[in-house]
Amino acid sequence: MASEQRKKAAMQRKLQQLRSVTNSSAVNKASIIVDATRYIEELKQKVEGLNSELETAESSSTSQDKLPMVTVETLEKGFLINVFSERNCPGMLVAILDAFEELGLDVLDVRVSCEDTFQLEAVGGESQENESIDAQVVKQAVLQAINNMD
């Protein structure tokens, strides 16, 4: 008899624990178990939703990492061009310099680092024979040259 009462008391404690964890207001065993089952399903859905959000965030950050950041500032007689990319690709420097040449920009000064990431800072001056171009045209030409590499 005592053994049976201990088992019954242990079962009551476990049901009470289950009730409190699942925020159930049920009184009988069957209802507590049904509430616990619903609670577990809700948790599964939350986990799936969070995993989906995480995958979306990771894929968007991965695709953003692949896009280079290009800024072009207008100087008195030319442009200051900065390019930064999380990944370094063979031929990126050549593609950018070709874009400068097509625009008729003379490279007056350049600093490049292309070990793990790609960083370029260049000062390009407009050649005398060219008509005036604006910073947006330079930026688009550099981005186009990089995109055409792929």
Side-chain angles (χ1 to χ4, degrees), residues 6-30:
R6 279 195 302 265
K7 285 181 183 178
K8 191 173 183 178
M11 178 63 90
Q12 287 300 325
R13 279 194 307 275
K14 289 179 182 178
L15 283 171
Q16 186 58 38
Q17 258 184 330
L18 192 55
R19 236 180 106 201
S20 67
V21 167
T22 60
N23 296 321
S24 174
S25 58
V27 180
N28 64 36
K29 291 179 200 177

Side-chain angles (χ1 to χ4, degrees), residues 40-99:
I40 290 169
E41 287 301 317
E42 287 174 22
L43 290 177
K44 282 182 181 179
Q45 287 176 351
K46 284 181 184 179
V47 167
E48 287 173 9
L50 290 172
N51 283 336
S52 177
E53 285 179 32
L54 184 60
E55 285 175 18
T56 302
E58 286 175 348
S59 68
S60 69
S61 71
T62 301
S63 65
Q64 287 176 350
D65 289 346
K66 293 180 182 177
L67 298 175
M69 184 177 76
V70 178
T71 59
V72 179
E73 296 175 36
T74 304
L75 303 175
E76 190 175 318
K77 292 185 179 182
F79 301 97
L80 173 63
I81 302 119
N82 287 291
V83 179
F84 176 79
S85 178
E86 287 289 328
R87 62 185 176 112
N88 180 28
C89 295
M92 188 177 294
L93 177 59
V94 173
I96 293 169
L97 292 176
D98 284 346

